[in-house]
Amino acid sequence: NDVKAAVIIPTKGRDKSTVGNALREQAMRFSIPLVTSIDTFQSIVSVMKQPSVIQAKALNDFQRFVVEV
């Protein structure tokens, strides 16, 4: 089973020798979506529970329009 995302909350003190820090580094190294805040995680879950009305798009999907005045 592949890891789809990770929720790893940092501890206070910014100790680089913690397991959480090593896991966050691995998540970044393998391009695994990473959430490091409970508030952010709760917001993501809240949006995922809503009916699929909102569709996210990559910025590359939008074209830039130049308006001349």
Side-chain angles (χ1 to χ4, degrees), residues 22-38:
L23 290 171
R24 285 188 296 280
E25 287 179 3
Q26 291 298 316
M28 291 188 312
R29 181 173 292 137
F30 291 101
S31 299
I32 296 170
L34 175 64
V35 177
T36 59
S37 164
I38 292 292

Side-chain angles (χ1 to χ4, degrees), residues 15 18-19 24 29 32-33 51 53-55 59-61 69:
D15 184 0
T18 63
V19 172
R24 285 188 296 280
R29 181 173 292 137
I32 296 170
V53 175
I54 300 172
Q55 292 183 335
L59 288 176
N60 294 338
D61 292 343
V69 179

